[in-house]
C-alpha cells in the first residue's frame, strides 16, 4: 500500500494513526504541499480535488481521509476500530460526522490564524480567530456532555471516531488554546487517554 500525504497534515495523520494502531507499514509518499505538488497533473490524476491524503492499494485508489480509515480498518488485521454492536457503530458514525461538520474546519482555522500565518511573517485576523473559537467552544460543550460516563466517543471502545478527532484537538494545543480542552473535565480526560496511545505518539511526534 502507498499513502500519499504530508506528515504535518491533519487528514494524513488520521490515516497514519490507523496504520500504526494496526501495526501495518505502508509506503509513505511525501507530497510537498509547499511546492504545490498536490496541484500537479500526476497528483490530480490520483485526487481530482488536488488535496491529500490518497491511498493506493495495488490497482485501487481511494481519497478522502474518513473513507480511507474505514477501508483500512476493514481490510487490515489487528485491533478492530469499528464497534460491532449496532448502536455503538452508529455513534461512531455520528461523531465522525460531527468532527467533519462542526469541528475540523474551525480547529484548522485557529491553527492558521495562530500558527501558520505568523510562521510566514503574516498577521492573523482576530475576527476569524474569534468566530472559529466560538464554533469550537460550542462543539466541545456538546462533546463534554456526551463523554459523561463513557471513555470514548462510541462508548466503551476506542474507535475511528476518536482517531478522527485527534489531529484537530492537537491543532488547538499547538495554537496555544489548549484550555478549550483542559477546561472541560470529560474532554480533558478523553484527550489524555487517547493522546497517550503509542500509535498517536508515534505519528504526532
Ligand atoms: N476532506 C478531505 C480534506 C483533505 C484536505 O483538505 N487535505 C489538506 C491537508 S490536511 C490539503 O491537502 N490541503 C492542501 C490544499 O488545500 O491546497 C479529507 O478528509 O481527506
Amino acid at each position: 500500500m502507498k499513502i500519499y500525504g504530508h506528515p504535518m497534515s491533519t487528514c494524513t495523520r488520521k490515516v497514519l494513526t490507523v496504520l500504526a494502531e494496526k501495526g501495518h507499514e505502508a509506503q509513505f509518499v511525501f507530497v510537498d504541499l509547499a511546492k504545490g505538488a498536490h496541484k500537479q497533473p500526476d497528483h490530480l490524476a490520483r485526487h481530482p480535488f488536488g488535496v491529500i491524503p490518497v491511498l493506493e492499494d495495488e490497482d485501487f485508489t481511494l481519497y478522502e481521509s474518513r473513507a480511507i480509515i474505514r477501508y483500512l480498518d476493514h481490510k487490515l488485521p489487528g485491533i478492530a476500530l469499528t464497534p460491532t454492536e449496532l448502536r455503538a457503530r452508529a455513534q461512531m458514525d455520528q461523531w465522525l460526522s460531527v468532527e467533519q461538520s462542526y469541528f475540523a474546519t474551525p480547529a484548522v482555522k485557529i491553527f492558521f490564524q495562530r500558527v501558520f500565518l505568523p510562521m510566514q511573517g503574516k498577521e492573523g485576523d482576530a475576527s476569524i480567530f474569534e468566530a472559529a473559537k466560538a464554533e469550537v467552544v460550542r462543539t466541545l460543550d456538546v462533546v463534554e456532555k456526551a463523554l459523561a460516563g463513557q471513555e470514548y466517543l462510541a462508548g466503551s471502545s476506542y474507535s475511528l471516531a476518536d482517531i478522527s478527532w485527534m489531529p484537530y484537538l492537537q491543532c488547538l494545543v499547538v495554537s496555544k488554546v489548549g484550555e478549550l480542552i483542559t477546561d472541560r473535565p470529560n474532554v480533558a480526560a478523553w484527550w489524555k487517554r487517547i493522546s497517550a496511545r503509542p500509535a498517536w505518539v508515534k505519528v504526532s511526534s
Side-chain angles (χ1 to χ4, degrees):
M1 282 186 192
K2 278 188 191 171
I3 304 294
Y4 294 81
H6 189 292
M8 302 305 285
S9 121
T10 48
C11 302
T12 304
R13 284 186 168 189
K14 277 179 232 173
V15 172
L16 296 179
T17 303
V18 169
L19 288 168
E21 288 286 359
K22 297 278 188 183
H24 186 87
E25 293 284 336
Q27 185 186 341
F28 187 77
V29 184
F30 176 73
V31 178
D32 195 341
L33 298 182
K35 290 196 175 145
H38 52 312
K39 305 297 182 195
Q40 298 306 311
D42 58 336
H43 189 73
L44 289 170
R46 282 176 220 113
H47 197 318
F49 296 96
V51 289
I52 52 166
V54 177
L55 166 78
E56 272 178 11
D57 185 11
E58 297 179 348
D59 60 345
F60 179 62
T61 303
L62 188 66
Y63 52 83
E64 286 300 310
S65 60
R66 296 162 191 88
I68 296 171
I69 61 176
R70 284 182 165 104
Y71 176 82
L72 292 174
D73 187 36
H74 290 302
K75 162 137 190 170
L76 297 174
I79 181 176
L81 296 166
T82 302
T84 49
E85 198 271 319
L86 176 65
R87 291 183 178 187
R89 197 169 66 233
Q91 279 196 323
M92 181 192 87
D93 287 334
Q94 172 188 279
W95 288 110
L96 278 162
S97 187
V98 171
E99 169 265 297
Q100 182 167 16
S101 305
Y102 317 112
F103 191 58
T105 302
V108 169
K109 273 188 193 164
I110 287 175
F111 176 81
F112 261 69
Q113 295 302 317
R114 275 291 172 92
V115 181
F116 188 75
L117 292 177
M119 256 168 46
Q120 306 206 317
K122 295 178 188 157
E123 212 175 303
D125 179 324
S127 65
I128 295 177
F129 170 78
E130 288 303 333
K133 190 174 164 195
E135 213 180 324
V136 163
V137 162
R138 184 181 72 132
T139 303
L140 289 182
D141 282 345
V142 174
V143 178
E144 176 67 9
K145 276 195 194 131
L147 284 172
Q150 66 184 59
E151 290 195 343
Y152 301 105
L153 291 174
S156 58
S157 64
Y158 174 70
S159 75
L160 295 177
D162 303 294
I163 291 174
S164 78
W165 281 68
M166 280 201 273
Y168 307 110
L169 289 162
Q170 194 189 33
C171 281
L172 303 181
V173 175
V174 299
S175 303
K176 301 206 173 4
V177 287
E179 73 278 4
L180 296 174
I181 298 171
T182 51
D183 285 352
R184 294 173 172 76
N186 299 329
V187 173
W190 169 60
W191 171 239
K192 196 171 170 194
R193 191 176 299 127
I194 59 179
S195 61
R197 293 185 70 90
W200 174 252
V201 172
K202 179 180 165 199
V203 168
S204 62
S205 52

